[in-house]
Structures are given as structure tokens and as C-alpha cells.
């Protein structure tokens, strides 16, 4: 029997970007906020101090900052006809653990979505006919780009995002992304430096008439005081970024950009090592009474609250909804029920490049988001008519660093061990790079989240089961953009060998793709097509909100963090202005 | 690596070179001549389509790459024209000043770093009344020469700890201070203040007075020439007691055997 704690106004589950922003804003508005983080606290000093923070074995191989699969993992299967098995370690994606969540170990890539992305189904249907989306359950967002624009800007000022505007209030600017949706203001900081390999990519792309630009990144490029008055220092291009904490106060994270401001609020309380089991509901399942969690000592505690914000890692929010009995679980056989539906990952594909020996790429000098990239083959920036798929991909060379454990490029056909392997490693370490693509992924009936009937976590609760495979549309997309990437590769000086890797069925959890898992509790304009409304508010339990990539109806090609940040501000604004005055559904069902 | 240096020197004149990518570090000039490589900066026609490009190699790096160490040694030990005093007068014959002097140790600094300081003394980005006239009197070739010679002076090995070390100073040096958003000094300046790379000078064994004077210079904008522009903010945010603690800590990590 859980011990009941003194009541509070708001409980926030998770201390990542969405939890941090919402927690700080609501505490500043006078609400008593309790934030529950399942992992340990971690701060730049002392936890990310050098040199140990560059320990690849600890951070990249042993997943220091990722969800601990020994305690809580996912089960996976490609189709409902299969029996799902648990993942014993995380390879396909890196859900975050500890203070700051995935926002502490991300790479800093900070894209806004474009205007078309938010009205995906209606745009493509109108332009290309309904058949282009046949068999897919992708849909329009209940918010538009212009709804979110001011909040994108807010997030960029919080995170010190660096970049160059390509479309400032409709004015196209050379050097930025000419395809981006109009911005009201320039980025808070100038763009990052350009690694050599990325410059060679940009040169070839420009020769083909494409529009390369420096990838926007929340790695600050000059001393910066963010919108919360917190200090950040410039990126040193140390090359240990994603999966690591940043020792320089350069990579934006909840830990340096928002949590210190939240902790200054007298009505804000942070509890770490607090693992939430479920959101408790009244008997009629129409109202949440609080959350039950287990603390570091193993004691079960009930924290009563007026409002609950589920701000865990993307798909873990769907699991919390399922474990708590919020809404109706999705049933793929009838296509009914909303919780668990429209799970997507991203479409990947790349070209491995091997250079002649006089092209010294020095890939160890990099940063998580240091890239030259292009959107010519993204969104609806090209004709989809003859292609038979929707959306697109960004194509880029990103130089993230080249630690000796994780970066061991050898051409195909190289033996996996022995002297020939070592010779190839020596030959190519400084002369190889990946030309990457990151593509959209459309939702389909067979890709969804549910509770596993067999396997449980360390607390005896059912694991989240992922059922997923690539659909034809995603394969076509990957095929198309990898062919385009090959054209760029062939025009790059110094390249001796270009090896294309296209996406193939079946989808496998054994290789890293991205951490950008989306869906499960998607937002929509009606309870018939979504688990939550445009403010992340549950249609079924209106004092439960959730904000994360779990709200995305399907996955864009771009990285999700900026949109999660924008949604966090968008939701908070509505809650502060309306819900706190008159609690209840913010959108009529 | 003298072969590599020669090749780079050739490259700089002909083709330009990227700073971040450091694209051309080859040991064999003949191989370089055979290569089809041209740097994107020089390859792109000015009227061609835009694409993002790496930074140019700054002038101080160019003179440092082509410096004549023998000329540098002469200036270092005997001074130069225009009233340039011998560097060794204050900085010591081996680039190590006498114990107790407030001058920085030069032994262990890279040619790039030294050349950049001399350029910046001359331009006023780094303000120092003693150094400015000397730096202004030196030609770019002489700056490159002095810098190249200084880079041959081996850094003395410094202690990893000392009985007199200031604990608070060690803490900031090794783990930083979250409350003031101060990264650990070691994140850039290397373990135990022994320096890192070309542009991050060693701090261990530098005189306490010198370290304090630099903190003051950064706070007052008399020095604003660190490449990544972090030192101004760090110096501003650090409480005075912590600056003193850090200066005492690094000064206490003396040259071994002293």
C-alpha cells in the first residue's frame, strides 16, 4: 500500500525539455510543481567533468545516459503474427535516463518543421490525389506552423540555437535554408563552423544546383545568455557530443538551460530516482488523482495532484497511458482505439564515402550537429507525382566526432579482424565519412504500441511492445534519396569509393537509426482520430496532459526536439491563460 | 614532423588551408604535388553558387607555419631591430623565467599560440604595455621566426599535485562550478593544467601573479583574444576568491625538481 504524500497542484513526470519548460513556467505562474525524474541527478559539474565524459566505453557502449534496459526495455516484433521479444540493450534508439533525459545526451540538431508537414494529409491529397496516401494512417496536425512559430522562436532563445535564417518574414537570404518556413527573427547565434568533409559535400551539391546550408544547432557558437538568464559558453568541437554530456556549457540541455531556472522558483520541487508506476484515476476513469511512484529506497508513494503532465521519453508516455487505463488501447484489427496508434520511426539510408589518401578529413574535430545539409529533397520541395510517396529527407554530411571505439570505417569486403583489417582501419580512419539521409516516416495500421502480454519490467509491470515494419512508402523514399545522395557523392572531390546503403525490410532493432520515435498518444482535432487534443490534453481524462514526440501524428524527416520545445511553450501558454482559471477540456470533444 | 611542416608551407602559399579541418597534413611534398586537391575556398569561382565553407587560415598561423627558427633564436636571445629586447631577458633563456618573477613561461607554447599573441599585442586585442612596442616592431616574418623558435623550447614537466595546493582551486580546475556555469579548466587546458592542442596554453607552473593579471585583463576587456571567446565570460562570472584559488592552485603545480 502506497504512502500518501501531501497534495500538490501539478505533477510532472520526466525532467527533459518538455517537463523542464512546463515545470518552470507553471511554477513561475504560482503553481506548486513536483517533478518526478526516474533517473539520478546529473549536472555539468561534477558529472560531465573531463576527461571521463569522453569515455566512449562508458557513454557509447555501456549507455551511461540511456534508459537502463536491465530495468525497463521494450519488446519488439515486425508483425502481429509474431511473438515479440525484449531488447536486452538499446541499439535502435537511445531513450534518455537521468536528469534532463534524452535532452542531455542529444546532438543539438534544431530544425523547425515546414508548413506542409502540419497539414500533411490534406496537402498531398489535394496536390497529388488521395491514392498517394493509400494504406497509410498519417493525418493532419491540429496545429499549424504559424500557430507554433512564436514558440519555436522561444525555444531557440532558450537553447541558444545557432544558424542562419534562409527565409526571414518571407525574404529569402543566401546562406540559409531557402526552403524553410518563414521565420520572424534571425537565429540567436551565428552558424557553426564547417568541417572539411561537409564543405566538400556542399561544393558538390551547389554544383548540382542544390542549396546546401549549415545545419542549425543548439550548440552555442559564442558566449550566450539564454532567455532564462542562464550562461552558455561556445562549442569547442570536441567530438564527443551525442550520448555524452557537454563539459563546456555549450550543448543546450534542460540541465543548463531551464532546470536551474525552475529550481529557483520557490514552488518547484524536483525529486530524482522517482520511478512513476502509473497515473491514478478516479473509479469512473475521468479524472486523475495523482501518481504512484517508487523512490530510491524502494518505497511506493502516492503523490496527489490536481494536474498530471506526462513528459517522459516519447513512447514511454504511451506506456504510462496504457498502464494507467487512460483512453482506449488501439486495436489494429479494427483500427479503433487511440492509445498506441501511429507509431513511427524515421527513414534512413546513407552513402559511405572513402577518400584518396591526400584528403585528410580529420573527422575527430566535430560536434553532434556540425553539418552541411540540404532540404532540396525534403518535404514537398520536389515533385512527388511520379514517385508514389509523400515527404522527403534531408541529405547531409555531419561530422560528429570520430572516437576510436565508435568510428572504425572500412570498405565493404574488408576482413573483420587480423592484419588486413588493421591495415584498412589505418588507411581509412582519416579518409572516410558518411553522407547521411534522414527521412520522414508515415504511419500505418500495423505499426503501433501495446502492453506486452509476457514480459515485465523490474517493478513487475508489462513492458511496452513495439510492432513495426517499414511500409512501401518509406522504402520508396529511402530508395529515392539515397540515389540523390549518390549523385552528390559522385561529384565530390577526393571520393574514391561511394557505397550506398538503402533501407531494407525487415525493420530491425539491431542497428542504430535515430532516437526519434514518435506517436502512441497523437494529437488531433477529435477523439475519433487522436488520444489528446491540440494542447496535449487527454480527451478522456482532461486533467492529464502529455507533451513529447508522442504527440506527432507521423514522423517528419527533421529532428523532433525543436517541435517538442515549441509545443511545450504552446501548451503551457494555454494552460496558464485558460485551464488554471477554468479547469476542464480546452477543446470540446 | 618537419617534413609535414614543409609540405604545409608549400600548401599555404599555393592553395590555402582550412583551420577546422586541418585538411592537409601530409608528410611527402611530392605526393602533394601529384594530388588533384584544391581547397574549396580557392576552387569556387566568386560568382559560383553559394555553399558553406571552412574558415580561412589566419595570418598568424601562416607565419607560424613558415617561420625560420634560427632567426627566431637570434631575436629571442639578442633582441631585434626597432628596440626589440631579447625575449630571454624576462622570459628566461629556455623560456622559463626565474622563480618568483611575474612573467609567463613560454616553454611549452605552440608556434601558432605565440604568433597569435604577438599579432594581438600589436593590434591591441591583448593589451600589455611592455609587449606592445616589441610586437609592433617585429615584422610578420620575425613574428613567425620567434614563434617557431619558442615552439622548440620543451615544456618542463610539472607536478600533478602539491602539498601547498589550494583545494578549491583544484576543484574548479578539475570539475568546474555549476552554480556559475564555469566549465572545468581542464576541459580545455588539459589534465593538471598541462595544456592541450596548439591554442590551449599550459597553466601549471605559471606564476600566480601572471594568472591573476590575465584574469583581470579578461574581466576588464584588456585581453579578448582567446579563439573561442569563453575567457571573458568565465572571468566575469568567477568570484574573486575562486580566481585567487585557481591561480594559487596552478602556480603550486611547479616544474618537477624545483
Amino acid at each position: 500500500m502506497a504512502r500518501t504524500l501531501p497534495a500538490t497542484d501539478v505533477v510532472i513526470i520526466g525532467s527533459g525539455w518538455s517537463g523542464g519548460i512546463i515545470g518552470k513556467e507553471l511554477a513561475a505562474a504560482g503553481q506548486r510543481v513536483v517533478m518526478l525524474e526516474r533517473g539520478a541527478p546529473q549536472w555539468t559539474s561534477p558529472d560531465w567533468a573531463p576527461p571521463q565524459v569522453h569515455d566512449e566505453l562508458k557513454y557509447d557502449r555501456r549507455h551511461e545516459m540511456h534508459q537502463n534496459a536491465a530495468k525497463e526495455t521494450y519488446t519488439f516484433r515486425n508483425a502481429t503474427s509474431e511473438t515479440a521479444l525484449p531488447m536486452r540493450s538499446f541499439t535502435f534508439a537511445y531513450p534518455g535516463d537521468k536528469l534532463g533525459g534524452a535532452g542531455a545526451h542529444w546532438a543539438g540538431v534544431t530544425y523547425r518543421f515546414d508548413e506542409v508537414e502540419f497539414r500533411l494529409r490534406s496537402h498531398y491529397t489535394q496536390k497529388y490525389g488521395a491514392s498517394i496516401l493509400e494504406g497509410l494512417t498519417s493525418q493532419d496536425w491540429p496545429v499549424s506552423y504559424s500557430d507554433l512559430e512564436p514558440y519555436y522562436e522561444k525555444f531557440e532563445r532558450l537553447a541558444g540555437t545557432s544558424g542562419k535564417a534562409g527565409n526571414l518574414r518571407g525574404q529569402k537570404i543566401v546562406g540559409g535554408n531557402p526552403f524553410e518556413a518563414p521565420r520572424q527573427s534571425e537565429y540567436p547565434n551565428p552558424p557553426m563552423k564547417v568541417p572539411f568533409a561537409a564543405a566538400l559535400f556542399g561544393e558538390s551539391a551547389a554544383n548540382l544546383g542544390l542549396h546546401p546550408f549549415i545545419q542549425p544547432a543548439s550548440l552555442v557558437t559564442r558566449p550566450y545568455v539564454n532567455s532564462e538568464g542562464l550562461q552558455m559558453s561556445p562549442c569547442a568541437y570536441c567530438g564527443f557530443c551525442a550520448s555524452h554530456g557537454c563539459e563546456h556549457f555549450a550543448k543546450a540541455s534542460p540541465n543548463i538551460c531551464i532546470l536551474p531556472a525552475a529550481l529557483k522558483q520557490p514552488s518547484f520541487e524536483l525529486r530524482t530516482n522517482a520511478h512513476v508506476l502509473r497515473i491514478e484515476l478516479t473509479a469512473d476513469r475521468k479524472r486523475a488523482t495523482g501518481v504512484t511512484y517508487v523512490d530510491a529506497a524502494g518505497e511506493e508513494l502516492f503523490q496527489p495532484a490536481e494536474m498530471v503532465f506526462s513528459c517522459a521519453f516519447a513512447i514511454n508516455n504511451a506506456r504510462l497511458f496504457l498502464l494507467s487505463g487512460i483512453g482506449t488501447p488501439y486495436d489494429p484489427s479494427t483500427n479503433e482505439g487511440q492509445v498506441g496508434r501511429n507509431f513511427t520511426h524515421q527513414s534512413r539510408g546513407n552513402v559511405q564515402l572513402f577518400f584518396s589518401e591526400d584528403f585528410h578529413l580529420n573527422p575527430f574535430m566535430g560536434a553532434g550537429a556540425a553539418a552541411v545539409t540540404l532540404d532540396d529533397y525534403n518535404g514537398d520541395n520536389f515533385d512527388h507525382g511520379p514517385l508514389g510517396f509523400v515527404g522527403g529527407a534531408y541529405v547531409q554530411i555531419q561530422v560528429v566526432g570520430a572516437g576510436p571505439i565508435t568510428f572504425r570505417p572500412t570498405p565493404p569486403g574488408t576482413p573483420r579482424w587480423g592484419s588486413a583489417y588493421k591495415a584498412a582501419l589505418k588507411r581509412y580512419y582519416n579518409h572516410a565519412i558518411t553522407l547521411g539521409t534522414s527521412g520522414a516516416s508515415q504511419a500505418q495500421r500495423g505499426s503501433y504500441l501495446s502492453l506486452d502480454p509476457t514480459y515485465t519490467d523490474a517493478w513487475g509491470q508489462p513492458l511496452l511492445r513495439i510492432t513495426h515494419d517499414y511500409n512501401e512508402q518509406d522504402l520508396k523514399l529511402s530508395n529515392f534519396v539515397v540515389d540523390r545522395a549518390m549523385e552528390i557523392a559522385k561529384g565530390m572531390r577526393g571520393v574514391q569509393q561511394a557505397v550506398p546503403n538503402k533501407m531494407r525490410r525487415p525493420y530491425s532493432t539491431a542497428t542504430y537509426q535515430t532516437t526519434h520515435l514518435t506517436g502512441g498518444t497523437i494529437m488531433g482535432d477529435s477523439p475519433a482520430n487522436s488520444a489528446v487534443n491540440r494542447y496535449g490534453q487527454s480527451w478522456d481524462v482532461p486533467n492529464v496532459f502529455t507533451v513529447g514526440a508522442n504527440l506527432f501524428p507521423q514522423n517528419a524527416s527533421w529532428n523532433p526536439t525543436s517541435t517538442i520545445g515549441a509545443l511545450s511553450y504552446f501548451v503551457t501558454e494555454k494552460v496558464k491563460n485558460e485551464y488554471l482559471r477554468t479547469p476542464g477540456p480546452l477543446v470540446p470533444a | 614532423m618537419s617534413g609535414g611542416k614543409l609540405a604545409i608551407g608549400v600548401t599555404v602559399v599555393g592553395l590555402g588551408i582550412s583551420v577546422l579541418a586541418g585538411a592537409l597534413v601530409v608528410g611527402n611534398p611530392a605526393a602533394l604535388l601529384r594530388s588533384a586537391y584544391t581547397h574549396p575556398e580557392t576552387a569556387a569561382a566568386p560568382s559560383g553558387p553559394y555553399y558553406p565553407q571552412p574558415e580561412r587560415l589566419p595570418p598568424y598561423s601562416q607565419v607560424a607555419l613558415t617561420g625560420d627558427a634560427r632567426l627566431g633564436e637570434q631575436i629571442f636571445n639578442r633582441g631585434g631591430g626597432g628596440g626589440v629586447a631579447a625575449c630571454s631577458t624576462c622570459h628566461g633563456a629556455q623560456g622559463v623565467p626565474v622563480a618568483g618573477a611575474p612573467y609567463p613561461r613560454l616553454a611549452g607554447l605552440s608556434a601558432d599560440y605565440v604568433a597569435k599573441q604577438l599579432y594581438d599585442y600589436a593590434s591591441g586585442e591583448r593589451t600589455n604595455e611592455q609587449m606592445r612596442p616589441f610586437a609592433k616592431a617585429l615584422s610578420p616574418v620575425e613574428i613567425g621566426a620567434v614563434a617557431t623558435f619558442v615552439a622548440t623550447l620543451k615544456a618542463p614537466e610539472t607536478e600533478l599535485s602539491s602539498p601547498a595546493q589550494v583545494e578549491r582551486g583544484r576543484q574548479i580546475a578539475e570539475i568546474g562550478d555549476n552554480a556559475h556555469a564555469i566549465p572545468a579548466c581542464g576541459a580545455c587546458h588539459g589534465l593538471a593544467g598541462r595544456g592541450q592542442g596548439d591554442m590551449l596554453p599550459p597553466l601549471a607552473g605559471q606564476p600566480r601573479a601572471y594568472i591573476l593579471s590575465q584574469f583581470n585583463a579578461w574581466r576588464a576587456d584588456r585581453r579578448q583574444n582567446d579563439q573561442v571567446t569563453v575567457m571573458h565570460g568565465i572571468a566575469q562570472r568567477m568570484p574573486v576568491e575562486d580566481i585567487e584559488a585557481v591561480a594559487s592552485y596552478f602556480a603550486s603545480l611547479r616544474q618537477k625538481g624545483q
Side-chain angles (χ1 to χ4, degrees):
Chain A
M1 188 60 197
R3 179 159 63 89
T4 299
L5 298 168
T8 188
D9 300 325
V10 179
V11 160
I12 293 184
I13 303 164
S15 64
W17 280 117
S18 62
I21 290 168
I22 296 165
K24 186 262 157 182
E25 291 293 317
L26 293 184
Q31 295 288 296
R32 291 171 303 163
V33 176
V34 171
M35 175 179 281
L36 301 174
E37 162 54 47
R38 66 179 171 179
Q42 54 177 355
W43 301 102
T44 314
S45 164
D47 302 286
W48 302 331
Q52 66 80 30
V53 76
H54 290 182
D55 183 341
E56 280 187 287
L57 195 58
K58 178 177 173 182
Y59 287 91
D60 293 280
R61 278 288 179 267
R62 295 181 180 156
H63 303 286
E64 174 72 10
M65 296 175 77
H66 306 150
Q67 182 170 311
N68 184 345
K71 286 186 182 169
E72 183 185 339
T73 185
Y74 308 124
T75 65
F76 177 79
R77 58 182 182 174
N78 282 120
T80 48
S81 56
E82 299 173 353
T83 302
L85 289 172
M87 302 176 198
R88 301 292 177 176
S89 70
F90 282 111
T91 310
F92 79 130
Y94 299 144
D97 202 355
K98 302 195 175 139
L99 194 70
H105 75 64
W106 70 318
V109 180
T110 311
Y111 288 106
R112 298 176 175 197
F113 291 177
D114 73 358
E115 289 167 310
V116 167
E117 187 62 35
F118 291 100
R119 42 190 174 85
L120 185 119
R121 180 165 281 274
S122 48
H123 173 89
Y124 282 97
T125 303
Q126 202 179 1
K127 192 164 168 189
Y128 300 102
S131 63
I132 199 164
L133 282 156
E134 205 178 297
L136 301 173
T137 55
S138 292
Q139 60 193 49
D140 286 0
W141 291 59
V143 293
S144 67
Y145 172 77
S146 57
D147 288 336
L148 291 186
E149 203 283 336
Y151 303 100
Y152 272 126
E153 184 175 321
K154 255 185 131 155
F155 179 72
E156 288 163 2
R157 289 188 177 177
L158 179 77
T161 307
S162 66
K164 175 138 187 71
N167 181 348
L168 204 50
R169 296 181 287 273
Q171 178 97 33
K172 296 286 169 83
I173 299 169
V174 175
N177 177 10
F179 298 106
E180 75 179 344
R183 304 169 53 88
Q184 288 303 305
S185 65
E186 185 48 277
Y187 285 93
N189 287 305
M192 299 197 76
K193 295 187 188 199
V194 178
F196 181 47
L200 292 170
F201 164 83
E203 179 191 33
S204 172
N207 288 340
L208 290 170
L210 306 172
H211 300 85
F213 62 98
I214 301 174
Q215 177 167 265
S218 293
L219 308 169
V220 304
T221 49
R222 61 182 172 190
Y224 180 69
V225 182
N226 83 351
S227 51
E228 295 291 343
L230 296 165
Q231 303 273 353
M232 298 173 77
S233 290
C235 174
Y237 301 85
C238 76
F240 296 86
C241 204
S243 289
H244 298 255
C246 176
E247 73 270 39
H248 293 285
F249 291 88
K251 176 170 78 173
S253 64
N255 313 56
I256 67 166
C257 293
I258 187 76
L259 293 172
L263 286 163
K264 279 183 198 148
Q265 306 296 326
S267 63
F268 181 90
E269 186 190 341
L270 168 66
R271 295 178 201 155
T272 49
N273 292 305
H275 179 89
V276 173
L277 298 175
R278 70 195 147 270
I279 300 164
E280 303 289 356
L281 307 181
T282 52
D284 64 0
R285 298 203 307 162
K286 286 191 171 147
R287 189 177 162 72
T289 55
V291 304
T292 299
Y293 71 95
V294 180
D295 73 4
E299 188 182 4
E300 214 170 291
L301 300 161
F302 173 60
Q303 174 61 63
E306 294 297 316
M307 293 173 81
V308 176
F309 280 83
S310 188
C311 297
F313 177 75
I315 60 172
N316 292 349
N317 291 310
R319 180 172 183 243
L320 269 173
F321 270 47
L322 291 167
L323 289 173
S324 310
I326 298 169
T328 313
Y330 177 67
D331 180 353
S333 63
T334 61
N335 206 25
E336 279 174 11
Q338 293 301 329
V339 182
R341 162 173 181 249
N342 279 26
F343 167 81
T344 54
H345 203 162
Q346 270 170 326
S347 305
R348 304 295 277 188
N350 64 51
V351 181
Q352 279 175 285
L353 303 179
F354 299 93
F355 286 76
S356 63
E357 279 187 274
D358 49 351
F359 277 68
H360 297 258
L361 304 181
N362 290 358
F364 43 83
M365 287 190 275
V372 171
T373 191
L374 51 87
D375 268 352
D376 295 74
Y377 304 118
N378 211 344
D380 192 25
N381 302 335
F382 57 102
D383 182 15
H384 287 76
L387 299 170
F389 63 85
V390 304
Y394 62 70
V395 181
Q396 64 174 207
I397 283 188
Q398 179 169 269
V399 182
V400 297
I405 294 177
T406 47
F407 189 75
R408 287 166 290 115
T410 52
T414 305
R416 301 305 299 156
W417 56 277
S419 53
Y421 171 69
K422 287 175 193 163
L425 207 54
K426 189 175 175 213
R427 163 65 181 82
Y428 286 106
Y429 175 80
N430 208 19
H431 312 280
I433 203 83
T434 299
L435 200 171
T437 74
S438 169
S441 179
Q442 301 311 318
Q444 61 181 344
R445 211 160 154 167
S447 291
Y448 71 106
L449 307 170
S450 53
L451 293 177
D452 192 276
T454 310
Y455 296 98
T456 56
D457 68 11
W459 295 269
Q461 293 192 296
L463 294 180
L464 188 70
R465 178 176 62 183
I466 301 172
T467 307
H468 181 58
D469 205 348
Y470 296 123
N471 52 48
E472 281 302 322
Q473 123 89 34
D474 292 359
L475 293 170
K476 279 186 204 164
L477 190 161
S478 167
N479 210 40
F480 173 77
V481 295
V482 172
D483 286 345
R484 302 289 81 71
M486 275 299 279
E487 291 165 2
I488 302 170
K490 282 178 185 155
M492 281 176 67
R493 286 181 300 120
V495 173
Q496 280 183 336
Q497 195 183 354
V499 184
N501 297 301
K502 291 179 176 176
M503 224 165 65
R504 284 185 214 296
R505 273 204 189 108
Y507 171 95
S508 163
T509 57
T511 51
Y512 182 74
Q513 290 153 64
T514 70
T515 296
H516 315 146
L517 308 175
T518 67
T521 64
I522 67 169
M523 55 168 24
D525 57 13
S526 129
N529 68 14
S530 53
V532 300
N533 65 25
R534 70 201 298 253
Y535 303 108
Q537 182 182 34
S538 163
W539 292 110
D540 304 277
V541 187
N543 68 335
V544 170
F545 291 74
T546 180
V547 180
N550 47 308
L551 299 183
F552 299 6
Q554 57 276 328
N555 213 344
S557 59
W558 298 284
N559 306 42
T561 307
S562 188
T563 303
I564 295 168
L567 285 169
S568 305
Y569 278 118
F570 176 75
V571 167
T572 313
E573 191 93 335
K574 187 73 174 179
V575 168
K576 279 199 297 192
N577 293 342
E578 264 183 50
Y579 185 92
L580 293 184
R581 271 184 230 138
T582 44
L586 291 164
V587 179
Chain B
M1 286 304 288
S2 61
K5 266 222 167 116
L6 177 60
I8 292 168
V10 172
T11 311
V12 167
V13 178
L15 304 165
I17 186 171
S18 133
V19 180
L20 180 63
L24 276 175
V25 184
V26 287
N28 179 356
L32 178 76
L33 294 173
R34 277 200 308 274
S35 122
Y37 175 84
T38 47
H39 189 272
E41 263 181 64
T42 53
S47 57
Y50 164 84
Y51 64 93
Q53 291 173 14
E55 286 182 345
R56 283 175 181 282
L57 193 73
Y60 64 80
S61 278
Q62 297 188 22
V63 301
L65 284 166
T66 51
D68 173 359
R70 277 169 306 180
L71 172 64
E73 182 171 18
Q74 218 172 58
I75 298 168
F76 190 90
N77 288 323
R78 279 178 254 153
V84 175
C87 312
S88 58
T89 315
C90 296
H91 295 285
Q94 292 306 307
V96 180
V98 294
Y103 307 111
R105 188 186 74 222
L106 301 184
L109 296 177
S110 73
D112 273 33
Y113 184 83
V114 173
K116 175 165 169 39
Q117 304 315 308
L118 289 169
Y119 266 74
D120 294 346
Y121 283 131
S123 74
E125 262 190 86
R126 184 173 179 181
T127 311
N128 184 288
E129 283 151 22
Q130 279 168 291
M131 287 304 298
R132 185 159 200 219
F134 303 152
K136 285 186 88 156
L138 290 168
S139 70
V141 169
E142 288 169 327
I143 286 180
V146 171
T148 305
F149 173 69
V150 169
T152 66
L153 301 171
K154 211 172 166 296
E157 199 175 344
T158 45
E159 300 286 355
L160 293 170
S161 64
S162 87
Q165 81 186 14
V166 177
E167 198 51 28
R168 175 66 182 154
R170 185 186 69 84
Q171 213 173 58
I172 295 166
E174 290 183 1
I175 61 171
D177 179 4
N178 219 51
H180 298 103
I182 306 295
C185 309
C188 293
H189 290 278
L191 281 178
R194 286 177 167 189
Q196 192 161 268
D198 278 351
M199 299 311 287
L200 294 155
L203 302 176
Q206 292 290 19
R208 183 174 184 276
Y210 172 67
I211 298 174
L212 287 176
S213 74
Q214 296 313 298
F215 267 105
N216 284 332
W218 268 303
R219 279 164 89 99
D221 283 341
R222 278 182 283 111
R223 183 172 182 184
Q224 35 194 335
N225 72 333
D226 64 321
Q227 267 192 319
V228 285
T229 61
V230 295
M231 284 310 299
H232 171 79
I234 288 172
Q236 289 265 317
R237 295 200 292 278
M238 270 173 79
V240 173
E241 313 83 74
D242 284 353
I243 291 175
E244 287 177 344
V246 162
S248 300
Y249 166 69
F250 283 121
S252 77
L253 300 179
R254 284 176 204 287
Q255 191 174 330
K256 277 194 171 167
Q258 251 191 8

